[in-house]
Amino acid sequence: MPSVELFIPKAELADMMWSVPPPSIEDAAKVHDVTKVDHPAALPGVLETLAKAYPDALCHTLPRGSPLFPSLPGKYTDILLTSGDKTLAVTDAYLLPALQRARLTKTEAEITAIRQANQISSRAHEVVMRVLGAAVRGAITKAKGAGVSRPLLPGEWLIEKEAEAEAIFVASCRREGSVHQAYLPIVAASTRASTLHYCCNDREFAWGPVKPHDHHNGNDFAHSDKHLDPQVLLIDAGCEWNCYASDITRTMPVGNGGKFTPEARAIYELVLEMQKESMKLLKPGLHWDDVQLLCHRVLIKGFQALGIFKSPSSPGSGSWNSAEAILASGISSAFFPHGVGHSLGMDVHDVPEASKPAVNPTIQIGETKGHESFYSFLRLRLPLEKNMVVTVEPGCYFSPHLIAPVRDSKHINLDVLKRYEGVGGVRIEDVILITEEGYENLTTVLSDVAWIEGVCSGEL
Ligand code: GLY
Ligand code: MN
Ligand code: MN
């Protein structure tokens, strides 16, 4: 059995004055899976004993001189380097890659933390949707003096701005004991949902007939001519639990009585199909590239069914508009530009160094693997293994920047595309544990259209 010894700071009076003390040796021993816990004063003695007992040992350290890692001070490494009549070898070449590789699969304790982060974040997504639904039902009322002689209380808040949705999401996580968000929340209403990592979260929802973004609505529904335009609200947010991340995206309808417009619903259902078809494949051994390719295939078929992409049977069309020809052209990357998911753990985009081999001999781009643009932003390019935790997050976006270069493509029916551009974007993201037999979805908030619309309209 390996022996693991952990050295933690000793509580000093000045430190305790400014902040809470570090745990005692006894308390640290209860929560860390180590052989022994001690204070740094004991470290030189331990190193001297080890150096004498194992004169031929190779000592591994994290990269020295890197701004990312604190170096082991010279007073400790000197003991190793100058012990006895032999010089011990010290190397920083292997430990970090080994840790990164080990982090690709999770232990039971890690899975428990990720599960808890997902459950808290799932409830926070549902809280935002239920507050939106309560407003549609007219169930959010203000008692006397609210917003006039006193500030609004949480139960009186309407969600009419991206910032209000973010505040309620974060508040829900905090009251459940999560200290940090795993990343800056992305809260994008209307066409801002087409920006993948939008995290300004500072705009009002789109209003009619007043101008959007006038920033003067102040929770006041008194003007009968003022209403929320039908739009989507994309929230990509997840909290941390015990240093482990969650990463969940839900796209919900705002305005229109809390129901999607026909165009938004069609795009939502297509993205959900991309996700469901992806999940059917998940099991150890499946190469992640195959999930990426499948999503492009589902998107292309869906766009052909909607008429955004032409089919061989479209007027004036031909075999150059077959699904395979469109796949080979790479044009679907303009609408699904990012990777379908990534490893998740202590970091939200976990261990990128171990997730993407520099040379990937199993993948040949060509007719069978689609277009190389599909893989440009794919953060994971490995076969799946049991106990990996990954996100599955297909999306479909109408970004003016990405559409501009392909607008005149022979594959696109421009009149139909124009009807869908106002949707902005839809992403649906769940966190998945790869199991022996397949997978387990660690994200508990639902995503089917009936449930999302039921909650956001206040009917459920
Ligand atoms: N929240 C960032 C991502 O989904 O990758
Ligand atoms: Mn993600
Ligand atoms: Mn995300």
Side-chain angles (χ1 to χ4, degrees):
M1 281 293 287
S3 169
V4 182
E5 297 191 30
L6 175 67
F7 296 87
I8 60 169
K10 186 168 189 297
E12 303 291 349
L13 186 60
D15 297 333
M16 288 195 284
M17 182 179 85
W18 290 106
S19 55
V20 293
S24 67
I25 285 178
E26 293 72 31
D27 286 346
K30 281 183 208 147
V31 295
H32 294 287
D33 186 15
V34 296
T35 318
K36 191 171 171 221
V37 183
D38 214 331
H39 291 137
L43 183 53
V46 170
L47 291 177
E48 273 160 22
T49 307
L50 285 173
K52 286 207 178 73
Y54 302 101
D56 296 322
L58 179 59
C59 300
H60 295 273
T61 69
L62 287 171
R64 281 168 283 159
S66 159
L68 294 176
F69 307 103
S71 299
L72 196 60
K75 64 179 175 182
Y76 300 122
T77 40
D78 287 352
I79 297 171
L80 300 172
L81 294 169
T82 60
S83 84
D85 35 320
K86 246 180 137 175
T87 301
L88 241 109
V90 178
T91 173
D92 63 4
Y94 304 106
L95 182 57
L96 184 60
L99 286 174
Q100 288 164 339
R101 178 66 189 82
R103 279 174 57 177
L104 272 179
T105 54
K106 271 61 183 182
T107 64
E108 272 311 308
E110 291 179 294
I111 292 165
T112 300
I114 297 171
R115 193 187 298 281
Q116 175 76 343
N118 266 278
Q119 289 177 357
I120 293 172
S121 303
S122 289
R123 284 189 285 271
H125 277 279
E126 183 171 341
V127 166
V128 173
M129 288 185 232
R130 290 203 177 276
V131 174
L132 287 168
V136 173
R137 242 184 16 247
I140 298 187
T141 53
K142 291 184 282 184
K144 194 158 172 286
V148 182
S149 57
R150 63 163 176 85
L152 298 182
L153 302 180
E156 296 168 326
W157 289 352
L158 292 170
I159 301 181
E160 298 180 326
K161 302 172 191 164
E162 293 161 353
E164 286 164 336
E166 179 182 0
I168 286 178
F169 184 93
V170 174
S172 180
C173 296
R174 281 297 285 125
R175 68 171 288 282
E176 291 210 43
S178 161
V179 179
H180 300 291
Q181 293 292 299
Y183 51 95
L184 283 178
I186 297 162
V187 184
S190 186
T191 51
R192 294 182 291 282
S194 68
T195 301
L196 305 181
H197 280 175
Y198 175 89
C199 50
C200 309
N201 308 353
D202 62 349
R203 299 298 179 94
E204 289 204 14
F205 295 168
W207 289 91
V210 298
K211 282 199 240 83
H213 323 319
D214 71 356
H215 287 259
H216 294 302
N217 65 310
N219 281 349
D220 184 1
F221 279 136
H223 307 291
S224 56
D225 60 341
K226 187 168 168 251
H227 59 264
L228 280 167
D229 276 344
Q231 62 205 284
V232 296
L233 173 63
L234 184 155
I235 303 184
D236 180 344
C239 72
E240 248 181 42
W241 184 260
N242 273 352
C243 301
Y244 281 84
S246 59
D247 184 7
I248 303 173
T249 308
R250 287 292 178 267
T251 307
M252 55 207 80
V254 169
N256 204 33
K259 305 278 172 91
F260 288 114
T261 61
E263 289 77 18
R265 182 179 299 118
I267 299 303
Y268 189 94
E269 283 178 336
L270 174 55
V271 174
L272 197 57
E273 189 188 345
M274 290 160 79
Q275 197 199 41
K276 283 191 170 149
E277 291 300 312
S278 298
M279 290 197 193
K280 282 187 196 160
L281 297 183
L282 301 180
K283 61 175 185 198
L286 173 78
H287 201 290
W288 195 241
D289 281 16
D290 291 344
V291 185
Q292 184 75 5
L293 182 65
L294 176 86
C295 283
H296 279 274
R297 286 191 189 284
V298 175
L299 183 133
I300 289 166
K301 283 250 156 56
F303 267 28
Q304 285 185 313
L306 294 173
I308 300 173
F309 283 167
K310 293 177 190 165
S311 302
S313 57
S314 310
S317 192
S319 60
W320 63 87
N321 277 325
S322 68
E324 284 307 311
I326 296 176
L327 189 81
S329 77
I331 195 171
S332 48
S333 290
F335 302 92
F336 173 43
H338 59 76
V340 66
H342 49 84
S343 180
L344 173 136
M346 281 192 274
D347 285 319
V348 62
H349 297 150
D350 210 31
V351 284
E353 303 83 354
S355 300
K356 212 168 164 170
V359 180
N360 194 332
T362 62
I363 298 306
Q364 301 121 32
I365 301 299
E367 270 173 41
T368 54
K369 290 290 175 188
H371 192 267
E372 62 183 351
S373 64
F374 299 170
Y375 306 96
S376 305
F377 298 103
L378 189 55
R379 296 176 197 267
L380 177 65
R381 300 198 67 183
L382 294 173
L384 294 176
E385 289 175 50
K386 183 184 166 194
N387 290 338
M388 278 185 171
V389 175
V390 297
T391 64
V392 180
E393 52 175 306
C396 175
Y397 312 88
F398 298 91
S399 158
H401 311 293
L402 297 180
I403 290 177
V406 300
R407 198 173 276 282
D408 297 328
S409 159
K410 63 183 180 185
H411 299 305
I412 288 182
N413 183 331
L414 205 47
D415 289 336
V416 182
L417 173 63
K418 280 181 187 155
R419 290 212 329 262
Y420 287 90
E421 282 183 88
V423 173
V426 171
R427 178 163 63 256
I428 305 170
E429 175 174 27
D430 289 31
V431 175
I432 300 296
L433 168 69
I434 303 300
T435 62
E436 185 102 49
E437 302 295 326
Y439 72 93
E440 179 191 341
N441 192 339
L442 301 181
T443 299
T444 50
V445 60
L446 301 178
S447 55
D448 60 282
V449 173
W451 188 82
I452 297 272
E453 287 192 338
V455 172
C456 292
S457 65
E459 291 168 8
L460 267 185

